[in-house]
């Protein structure tokens, strides 16, 4: 790590102008959360592998900012040369730079890897000390990274209409109507999942996310796709030709955005390739009619810099919300995918329960007793990795399986307190019957994307562990049972429901409570979310959206608890309709039992008991067709009705 920092500082000093600091973001050219191996520049320079964070290298310091999900992981992975900056507790990166870097400091960044929003925010912060954001001509990290992985060359795959549920032509027509509504003549599309959704294509360029590295430009009469043409087969080419989508090289996007800015971007498929000056003048009678739409959160500064800022409409992409509102085919598919996925999770729990009893002498999933402390042989012992591999194999046997939707968080004891823990074969923990086991996992299926978390104990949980699990469960149920007016700003309003049972004990968690889920796309999908963070976009939930319900509690060095289901937002029938707003409610579509022995039933209300029994009954009936006799016997026992003592 010292050699990397030394090399970067040498490049910073020789840069024109010399750089006082270098920012290394986590994002790729598309501002993605999950990036390909060759785009993990921040991980390369810092050693920190979490999905969120930012590295700052100055002449004498190296600092890494990340959020509460990764505090423990960052402390474990960062060397002594790095200082951890806790987002939400320490100063924002732009505030720190403004306060600690000298007057007129030059702060370098690769303009392809920073969003318009971020670059503009930094620029305002730097202005008070005449500091400057310098966009480097090449990425300095790439110059140092001699073993940088090669570009991904996976093919562009057409996503069938039977799974997409909506034609590209229909989507293009809808988007052009939105352009007209906003008096815009073009839209620059940078987010990978938006490009994939718009053109009904998928790929494997990024692990766990079925996307292809590509940009798109849409105008009132043309559509472009920018992708490495070697990834486009003859069949895919014919598909795009039929749609009237012109395929151009990935690297052409920068010059074509410049052409778009001057209204000289012409497609061979455009209905009008030549416009008279009179017609053109009529169309752009005012500046508003000549606007180009750019999402400041997903478009990189490199592309934005080619546009006339006075003629840019900076607001969230219209695709983001359209993609989040699932069509009937997508809704049916995602529900079916969750049934198959739930079956795999239950089959996994049945297998794991048996293994823990036979190999480790555990009392098992149902009984509360200390383990008999059996010691398995070196070849038969279970680790966080080997058990997660088993879960993946069970999923892989299900129809339409295409891979995992994120690295499985398979975590024992203190590792479960690391919110986004990712076990490595060489350094993972062995399973332990006397410790909590948290498994957060998901899969990509052609008809849907899944995300589920269950926390279990195969021995005798402590009273404190049960108390914490019960509080998490109560918050999970409270959010899932919520009814709320349409238009509710969800970031704070609904988030509180999941935290209130924990707050009762002075407990909390450092992550959001819910995120959207894609339809065979990214497992984290916006624009909506349920979160405590002030920076969260306040996008109201709407019917047909998907959102997770995942409160938790994490005790450093001891254990972690999280429960997660995917919910669908539906219209609600209510007795009254105050303000004529209409009301919404949630539908659970994730199916796997909760471990009753971790719940203090005396702490549950009658409503919570009834909900648990109803959910378990549905779970048993829905998953029954996938179970063999042994699995069904286990599932029946796991879903037996419960009651509180009189």
């Amino acid at each position: 790590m010292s050699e990397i920092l030394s090399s970067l500082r040498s490049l910073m000093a020789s840069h024109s102008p010399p750089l006082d600091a270098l920012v290394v973001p986590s994002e790729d050219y598309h501002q993605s959360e999950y990036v390909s191996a060759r785009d993990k520049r921040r991980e390369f320079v810092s050693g920190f592998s979490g999905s969120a964070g930012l590295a700052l290298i100055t002449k004498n310091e190296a600092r890494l900012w990340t959020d509460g999900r990764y505090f423990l992981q960052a402390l474990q992975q960062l060397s002594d040369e790095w200082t951890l900056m806790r987002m939400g507790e320490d100063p924002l990166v732009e505030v720190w730079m403004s306060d600690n870097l000298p007057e007129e400091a030059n702060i370098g960044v690769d303009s392809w890897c920073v969003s318009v929003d971020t670059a503009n925010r930094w620029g305002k912060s730097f202005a008070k000390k005449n500091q400057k954001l310098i966009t480097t001509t090449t990425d300095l990290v790439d110059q140092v990274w001699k073993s940088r992985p090669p570009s991904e060359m996976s093919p562009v795959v057409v996503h069938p209409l039977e799974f997409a549920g909506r034609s590209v032509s229909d989507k293009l027509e809808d988007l052009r109507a939105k352009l007209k509504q906003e008096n815009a003549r073009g839209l620059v599309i940078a987010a990978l999942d938006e490009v994939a959704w718009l053109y009904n294509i998928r790929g494997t360029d990024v692990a766990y996310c079925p996307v292809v590295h590509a940009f798109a430009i849409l105008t009132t009469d043309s559509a472009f796709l920018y992708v490495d043409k070697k990834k486009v087969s003859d069949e895919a080419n014919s598909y795009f030709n039929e749609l009237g989508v012109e395929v151009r090289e990935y690297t052409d996007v920068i010059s074509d955005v410049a052409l778009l800015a001057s209204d000289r971007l012409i497609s061979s498929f455009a209905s009008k390739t030549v416009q008279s000056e009179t017609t053109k003048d009529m169309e752009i009678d005012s500046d508003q009619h000549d606007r180009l739409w750019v999402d400041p959160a997903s478009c990189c500064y490199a592309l934005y810099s080619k546009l006339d800022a006075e003629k840019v409409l900076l607001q969230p992409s219209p695709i983001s919300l359209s993609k989040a509102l699932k069509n009937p085919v997508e809704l049916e598919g995602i529900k079916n995918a969750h049934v198959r996925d739930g079956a795999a999770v239950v089959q996994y729990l049945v297998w794991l329960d048996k293994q823990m009893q036979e190999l480790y002498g555990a009392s098992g999933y149902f009984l509360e007793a200390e383990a008999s402390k059996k010691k398995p042989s070196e070849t038969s012992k279970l680790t966080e990795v080997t058990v997660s591999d088993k879960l993946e194999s069970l999923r892989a046997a299900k129809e339409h399986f295409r891979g995992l939707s994120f690295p499985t968080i398979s975590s024992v004891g203190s590792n479960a307190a690391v919110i986004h823990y990712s076990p490595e074969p060489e350094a993972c923990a062995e399973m332990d019957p006397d410790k909590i086991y948290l498994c957060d996992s998901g899969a990509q299926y052609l008809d849907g994307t899944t995300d589920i978390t269950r926390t279990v104990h195969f021995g005798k949980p402590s009273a404190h562990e049960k108390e914490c699990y019960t509080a998490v469960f109560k918050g999970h149920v409270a959010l899932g049972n919520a009814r709320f007016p349409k238009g509710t700003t969800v970031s704070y309003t609904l988030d509180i429901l999941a935290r209130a049972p924990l707050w009762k004990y002075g407990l909390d968690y450092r992550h959001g409570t819910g995120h959207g889920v894609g339809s065979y796309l990214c497992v984290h999908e916006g624009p909506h979310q349920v979160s405590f963070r002030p920076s969260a976009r306040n996008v109201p939930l709407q019917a047909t959206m998907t959102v997770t319900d995942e409160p938790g509690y994490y005790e450093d060095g001891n254990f972690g608890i999280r429960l997660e289901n995917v919910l669908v937002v539906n219209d609600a029938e209510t007795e009254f309709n105050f303000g004529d707003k209409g009301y919404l409610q949630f539908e659970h579509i994730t199916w796997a039992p909760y471990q009753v022995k971790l719940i203090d039933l005396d702490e549950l209300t009658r409503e919570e008991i009834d909900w648990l029994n109803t959910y378990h009954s549905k779970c048993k009936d829905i998953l029954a067709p996938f179970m063999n006799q042994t699995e069904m016997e286990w599932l029946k026992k796991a879903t037996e009705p419960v009651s509180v003592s009189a």
Side-chain angles (χ1 to χ4, degrees), residues 343-392:
V345 171
V346 169
Q347 289 164 343
Y348 171 61
L349 290 173
V350 174
W351 171 83
L352 187 55
D353 186 17
K354 182 181 179 183
Q355 294 296 306
M356 292 301 291
Q357 291 183 59
E358 291 182 353
L359 296 175
Y360 292 90
S363 56
Y365 187 90
F366 301 105
L367 299 177
E368 289 188 61
E370 299 287 350
S372 62
K373 300 295 184 184
K374 288 173 66 176
K375 184 78 173 175
S377 66
E378 192 65 27
T379 56
S380 62
K381 73 176 184 180
L382 302 177
T383 70
E384 293 165 328
V385 169
T386 59
V387 296
S388 66
D389 287 346
K390 176 65 176 182
L391 175 56
E392 182 175 356

Side-chain angles (χ1 to χ4, degrees), residues 331-521:
L331 280 177
E332 181 183 6
I334 202 167
K335 289 179 182 180
N336 290 338
H338 276 81
V339 171
R340 298 193 304 274
D341 198 68
V345 171
V346 169
Q347 289 164 343
Y348 171 61
L349 290 173
V350 174
W351 171 83
L352 187 55
D353 186 17
K354 182 181 179 183
Q355 294 296 306
M356 292 301 291
Q357 291 183 59
E358 291 182 353
L359 296 175
Y360 292 90
S363 56
Y365 187 90
F366 301 105
L367 299 177
E368 289 188 61
E370 299 287 350
S372 62
K373 300 295 184 184
K374 288 173 66 176
K375 184 78 173 175
S377 66
E378 192 65 27
T379 56
S380 62
K381 73 176 184 180
L382 302 177
T383 70
E384 293 165 328
V385 169
T386 59
V387 296
S388 66
D389 287 346
K390 176 65 176 182
L391 175 56
E392 182 175 356
S393 71
L394 291 167
R395 281 190 163 112
K398 302 296 183 238
E399 185 181 22
H400 300 320
F401 177 81
R402 287 297 181 274
L404 300 181
S405 56
F406 58 95
T408 298
I409 302 169
S410 174
S411 50
V412 175
S414 60
N415 288 340
V418 181
I419 297 171
H420 269 206
Y421 173 76
S422 183
E424 298 293 338
E426 309 80 22
C428 64
E430 185 175 358
M431 296 297 289
D432 190 328
D434 294 322
K435 293 179 180 177
I436 272 181
Y437 172 64
L438 185 156
C439 185
D440 184 349
S441 63
Q444 296 286 3
Y445 302 92
L446 282 174
D447 52 351
T449 301
T450 68
D451 189 359
I452 175 176
T453 308
R454 288 296 183 265
T455 302
V456 296
H457 200 301
F458 294 103
K460 186 177 181 179
S462 69
H464 178 55
E465 288 171 333
K466 292 179 69 170
E467 181 179 55
C468 295
Y469 183 99
T470 303
V472 171
F473 175 77
K474 287 170 74 72
H476 177 74
V477 173
L479 176 58
N481 282 347
R483 284 189 177 186
F484 49 96
K486 292 182 178 179
T488 298
T489 300
V490 301
S491 292
Y492 288 102
T493 311
L494 295 180
D495 183 80
I496 290 172
L497 295 175
R499 295 179 192 271
L502 286 158
W503 287 351
K504 176 183 175 182
Y505 300 103
L507 305 178
D508 207 345
Y509 52 96
R510 292 190 179 101
H511 59 75
T513 302
H515 58 81
V517 178
S519 177
Y520 186 39
L521 271 175

Side-chain angles (χ1 to χ4, degrees), residues 2 34 342 639:
S2 297
Y34 293 110
T639 57

